[in-house]
Amino acid sequence: MDPREFCRKSAKVSLCSILLCAVLLGFYSQLTHRVVLRQMQLEKKESSEGDCHLDTCRIPEVPRLLYPKAQLLKPTRVDVLVMTPWFAPIIWDGTFDSAILDAQFRNITIGLTVFAIKKYVVFLKLFLETAEKHFMVGHKVNYYVFTDQPAAVPQIPLQEGRQVVVLEVRNYKRWQDISMHRMEMISNFSQRRFLREVHYLVCLDVDMKFSDHVGVEILAPLFGTLHPGFYAGDRQSFTYERRPLSQAYIPRDEGDFYYAGGFFGGSVPEVYRLTVACHQAMMADQANGIEAVWHDESHLNRYLLHHKPSKVLSPEYLWDEQMLQRPPLLRKLRYVAVPKNHAEIRNR
Amino acid sequence: MHCPRLALGLGFCLLVGMALCSLCNMKLQYKGEKPFQPVTPSQYPQPKLLKQKPTEFLTLTPWLAPIVSEGTFEPELLRHIYQPLNLTVGVTVFAVGKYTQFVQRFLESAEQFFMQGFRVHYYVFTNDPTAVPRVRLGSGRLVSTIPILRHSRWEEISTRRMQSISQHIAERAHREVDYLFCLNVDMVFRNPWGPETLGDLVAAVHPGYFAVPRQQFPYERRPLSTAFVADGEGDFYYGGAVFGGRVAEVYEFTRGCHMGILADKANGIMAAWQEESHLNRRFISHKPSKVLSPEYLWDDRKPQPPSLKLIRFSTLDKDTDWLRS
């Protein structure tokens, strides 16, 4: 072969190999990065502290926003504790900026569970109407209405991205059993559907209404709400279950807060763990012939003592105006009791 | 014919090489995280809801990240929560050229104050492993030296840190530690630094700017740079000498900063405070889940204000000009 032709050919071949190398190297570095990330994400389990969102499990990115700057030397609230000793924020008005939080929590679907059994169906209309005005506005919401009377669930006009899912369940004769079996039902449906449908679950009482903003500031892997009757009390005065025989037993020198049974939640896996634990504890108590003094609320308190919540909601998030005088430290009332005749509405 | 066969052979070897390397990476065993562990109750005082403790610092950012300072946490309680998790905490420090002289004091003070009771792995990045002194370490704690190149300009050394850290995580640290802190070596620990600092993504407030409005923060102000921060933006000015978090988050963070630094290099610009500018840019769009007060990053040349109860980690007085020459 002519040496010049040979050179040209070999030059062409070397060029092709170099190009091939370049392409493959480019591919390789991208591949490595993706593989590393994927591996980290796959093996990442639910975190116990931090703001891990389930869909991405990473620090969320926020777009450029304009908002006032926080002042390090100027605490926003000086009249109340805004953080627990284990770094869980206590959510009060003034401690959070909704613009930033909404940006961090965009593309999240929230599930709300509510139980309307027997006569309690009467509360649904006001509950859902006020939820439409105040609960997670601007985000995707699934209302999971557990009821024994699907036909009684009212048709409420809903904002975009929000839907009502009616889940038919059995009722119980005693109101205490209805209350306690909520744990079992939530745990069942968590496995069957919630895990696939929503990122967070918020478990609420139905005999209430929303009167002010309740938004993504509450979302965390696990959260509880301060019971309005005990936020100022000493741990000895908390109405924990005090009989050692019960699974919900808490000794007098233990306890952080008294949490309300009517407002708790978190990521689906964490709520699943909580509801399973509480249900099993209640079954154990039943086998031992004992019923905790405040039923599912007692068991919730026991669980949250041993599995510290990553956020705590102030009594702004659960209040009863009929029972309690509103103190100045409550700048807003967001979720409040609807007046009802206890004797009338229960046990029928 | 030689040439096509040669080319074919080369291509084949390359492909095999690729495949092997990918396979190696696929076997990444990442240290997973644990779900909520039950806490055995310990004796600690009940949190007082109505009497706000007189911590003069803000304790929560507007996006609800805790700001850690003395008085905001219960060390015993946190120890109870974190000890059973059997965590390993990594630390990266860069000791290049004359900076190797700081390693001894850094490690000795860390042995006294840093993450007592935890497994700790120090990664000392250096161009001269022989210059790294042997320091007596407690049980469950080790030092590894990671060789890196020495560049002629100190700015170059500084900006390459992000790349070195992310590479190191991908190659090694993700398998060895759960959390990673990236610290400056020319500093010492003066008081306990414990699990109160652990979080998904952790930043520290720069001691020079915590009392100053955002317009005066030394952000990069030239729009050409990827580290550019406009006038109305910014939360706190964070120090480049302390940041950390879960290994996966630190990987993403350092890689993101490195990409920004590379883009700037291609545009012939270097940010005002090198990687600290890029760090600050990234912390605006990827807000830290925990912020450390200036207790965790102090400059001893500054007078200690009354709001600062305790200095935990601070600079050593040094002649920076000589060091950087």
Side-chain angles (χ1 to χ4, degrees):
Chain A
M1 188 191 275
D2 174 21
R4 265 206 307 263
E5 217 193 293
F6 182 84
C7 281
R8 239 180 283 135
K9 267 215 165 143
S10 73
K12 232 192 257 174
V13 168
S14 340
L15 197 66
C16 286
S17 337
I18 291 170
L19 277 169
L20 182 69
C21 289
V23 166
L24 285 168
L25 269 167
F27 245 168
Y28 172 63
S29 73
Q30 267 306 296
L31 184 71
T32 317
H33 173 51
R34 269 198 215 109
V35 164
V36 169
L37 269 183
R38 184 96 186 96
Q39 224 28 51
M40 290 180 179
Q41 279 169 9
L42 278 176
E43 296 177 62
K44 202 172 170 94
K45 291 188 206 93
E46 186 54 36
S47 77
S48 65
E49 58 106 6
D51 50 1
C52 183
H53 300 304
L54 266 158
D55 57 348
T56 52
C57 273
R58 0 185 335 224
I59 294 287
E61 181 173 356
V62 298
R64 294 182 125 106
L65 295 166
L66 287 176
Y67 50 81
K69 175 182 138 22
Q71 312 276 15
L72 195 69
L73 297 179
K74 283 224 275 277
T76 46
R77 294 291 297 257
V78 290
D79 51 341
V80 289
L81 189 67
V82 299
M83 193 164 73
T84 69
W86 62 89
F87 292 125
I90 305 176
I91 316 292
W92 301 89
D93 184 56
T95 58
F96 60 92
D97 185 326
S98 284
I100 304 176
L101 290 169
D102 280 330
Q104 289 187 322
F105 282 90
R106 64 189 187 283
N107 291 331
I108 292 288
T109 308
I110 299 108
L112 185 163
T113 67
V114 68
F115 287 75
I117 310 269
K118 295 203 286 195
K119 284 198 164 181
Y120 279 70
V121 289
V122 72
F123 294 108
L124 275 174
K125 186 164 182 293
L126 187 62
F127 180 94
L128 291 171
E129 280 173 349
T130 54
E132 278 299 291
K133 280 215 211 70
H134 299 290
F135 182 79
M136 305 289 172
V137 174
H139 295 269
K140 294 208 282 287
V141 173
N142 289 357
Y143 298 102
Y144 294 109
V145 179
F146 292 77
T147 183
D148 56 342
Q149 309 144 69
V153 176
Q155 297 276 33
I156 307 285
L158 298 175
Q159 295 288 329
E160 207 189 321
R162 301 162 82 97
Q163 52 170 331
V164 171
V165 177
V166 178
L167 301 168
E168 189 171 356
V169 294
R170 59 162 293 185
N171 61 37
Y172 288 87
K173 188 146 175 281
R174 295 170 68 233
W175 67 265
Q176 297 90 334
D177 287 316
I178 295 175
S179 183
M180 291 193 291
H181 278 273
R182 295 189 295 178
M183 291 291 186
E184 180 186 18
M185 293 173 182
I186 293 171
S187 68
N188 283 345
F189 280 91
S190 292
Q191 255 196 321
R192 274 158 52 181
R193 351 178 17 151
F194 301 157
L195 197 63
R196 278 175 288 115
E197 294 179 359
V198 298
H199 300 99
Y200 291 92
L201 278 175
V202 178
C203 305
L204 297 173
D205 275 354
V206 74
D207 51 354
M208 314 277 289
K209 67 179 184 198
F210 292 90
S211 45
D212 212 320
H213 167 98
V214 173
V216 295
E217 69 279 358
I218 71 174
L219 298 179
L222 184 65
F223 68 84
T225 307
L226 298 179
H227 191 294
F230 298 95
Y231 65 89
D234 278 330
R235 46 165 61 132
Q236 293 88 340
S237 72
F238 292 164
T239 56
Y240 291 144
E241 174 52 61
R242 299 299 189 183
R243 293 165 293 174
L245 180 64
S246 168
Q247 300 297 315
Y249 168 60
I250 296 177
R252 287 218 177 256
D253 58 354
E254 286 175 36
D256 305 303
F257 302 106
Y258 192 76
Y259 300 101
F263 196 157
F264 65 90
S267 66
V268 181
E270 289 301 339
V271 172
Y272 174 71
R273 276 189 267 268
L274 180 156
T275 50
V276 163
C278 287
H279 174 60
Q280 284 173 351
M282 288 188 275
M283 292 295 102
D285 270 10
Q286 191 175 53
N288 286 328
I290 187 169
E291 187 171 277
V293 60
W294 285 104
H295 325 104
D296 44 294
E297 187 175 86
S298 305
H299 291 275
L300 176 77
N301 271 278
R302 166 79 188 219
Y303 186 87
L304 291 178
L305 172 62
H306 290 260
H307 305 76
K308 308 260 180 254
S310 30
K311 273 187 188 163
V312 175
L313 309 188
S314 69
E316 292 173 6
Y317 289 83
L318 201 154
W319 194 254
D320 188 335
E321 289 197 273
Q322 283 204 308
M323 279 216 299
L324 300 150
Q325 270 271 42
R326 174 187 177 162
L329 54 86
L330 282 187
R331 294 185 189 169
K332 290 194 170 166
L333 296 181
R334 305 171 189 271
Y335 178 63
V336 296
V338 169
K340 71 178 193 270
N341 181 330
H342 283 82
E344 236 289 307
I345 206 95
R346 289 168 171 171
N347 287 345
R348 285 298 187 83
Chain B
M1 276 283 254
H2 300 128
C3 299
R5 235 180 268 156
L6 190 62
L8 229 65
L10 255 170
F12 180 71
C13 289
L14 208 66
L15 279 166
V16 170
M18 294 292 132
L20 278 174
C21 286
S22 306
L23 271 167
C24 290
N25 277 322
M26 291 290 178
K27 286 205 220 88
L28 283 177
Q29 245 331 293
Y30 178 60
K31 272 182 154 259
E33 282 128 39
K34 287 93 179 169
F36 275 75
Q37 296 290 334
V39 181
T40 46
S42 54
Q43 301 312 91
Y44 56 87
Q46 180 193 353
K48 282 268 156 288
L49 199 74
L50 295 185
K51 225 228 114 233
Q52 176 72 314
K53 274 201 216 162
T55 52
E56 273 138 80
F57 284 127
L58 187 65
T59 44
L60 264 187
T61 68
W63 59 95
L64 300 174
I67 302 176
V68 183
S69 64
E70 179 68 4
T72 59
F73 60 95
E74 282 284 336
E76 263 313 304
L77 175 55
L78 290 177
R79 209 188 324 276
H80 245 92
I81 294 177
Y82 281 97
Q83 214 88 71
L85 300 179
N86 274 329
L87 299 170
T88 308
V89 181
V91 180
T92 64
V93 284
F94 284 72
V96 177
K98 298 192 187 100
Y99 277 73
T100 48
Q101 62 171 297
F102 296 112
V103 176
Q104 175 132 11
R105 280 201 69 183
F106 178 92
L107 287 177
E108 283 172 352
S109 63
E111 281 302 291
Q112 214 188 333
F113 293 115
F114 181 80
M115 295 290 177
Q116 285 310 307
F118 285 82
R119 286 205 297 274
V120 174
H121 198 146
Y122 304 99
Y123 300 106
V124 180
F125 292 71
T126 183
N127 63 308
D128 186 7
T130 59
V132 175
R134 295 182 67 91
V135 172
R136 181 100 146 278
L137 300 176
S139 87
R141 300 166 82 100
L142 18 121
V143 174
S144 296
T145 46
I146 316 289
I148 52 165
L149 285 176
R150 182 187 182 159
H151 296 271
S152 46
R153 292 169 65 230
W154 70 267
E155 295 97 335
E156 191 67 32
I157 300 172
S158 183
T159 46
R160 290 239 173 230
R161 294 203 305 182
M162 290 296 182
Q163 178 188 33
S164 307
I165 293 168
S166 65
Q167 220 168 314
H168 174 65
I169 295 175
E171 288 168 7
R172 230 184 116 160
H174 72 271
R175 266 180 277 115
E176 297 176 350
V177 303
D178 301 287
Y179 290 88
L180 189 67
F181 284 100
C182 306
L183 306 176
N184 271 12
V185 74
D186 52 353
M187 321 260 302
V188 276
F189 293 90
R190 301 192 193 280
N191 270 295
W193 175 308
E196 72 278 1
T197 58
L198 296 177
D200 283 351
L201 186 63
V202 183
V205 177
H206 192 294
Y209 301 95
F210 63 89
V212 139
R214 51 162 62 127
Q215 293 86 342
Q216 292 176 32
F217 289 168
Y219 288 140
E220 172 53 61
R221 299 296 188 183
R222 293 167 292 175
L224 178 64
S225 169
T226 57
F228 167 64
V229 178
D231 254 340
E233 284 185 281
D235 303 301
F236 303 105
Y237 191 74
Y238 302 108
V242 172
F243 67 94
R246 286 190 197 278
V247 180
E249 299 300 349
V250 177
Y251 174 74
E252 283 269 47
F253 186 83
T254 49
R255 207 181 135 83
C257 287
H258 173 59
M259 291 293 129
I261 293 171
L262 275 185
D264 271 12
K265 215 174 185 159
N267 287 324
I269 189 169
M270 178 173 274
W273 287 100
Q274 300 84 43
E275 74 214 36
E276 188 177 86
S277 305
H278 289 274
L279 175 140
N280 270 281
R281 173 68 248 172
R282 194 158 175 97
F283 272 136
I284 295 175
S285 54
H286 298 74
K287 298 200 186 304
S289 64
K290 195 173 255 185
V291 174
L292 306 181
S293 68
E295 293 174 6
Y296 293 84
L297 173 52
W298 190 246
D299 183 344
D300 279 342
R301 290 170 298 184
K302 295 193 170 344
Q304 184 171 342
S307 49
L308 217 64
K309 308 275 187 325
L310 201 63
I311 309 288
R312 304 174 195 263
F313 188 60
S314 64
T315 52
L316 275 177
D317 220 327
K318 65 185 188 283
D319 183 348
T320 32
D321 292 327
W322 173 73
L323 279 165
R324 288 170 176 174
S325 64

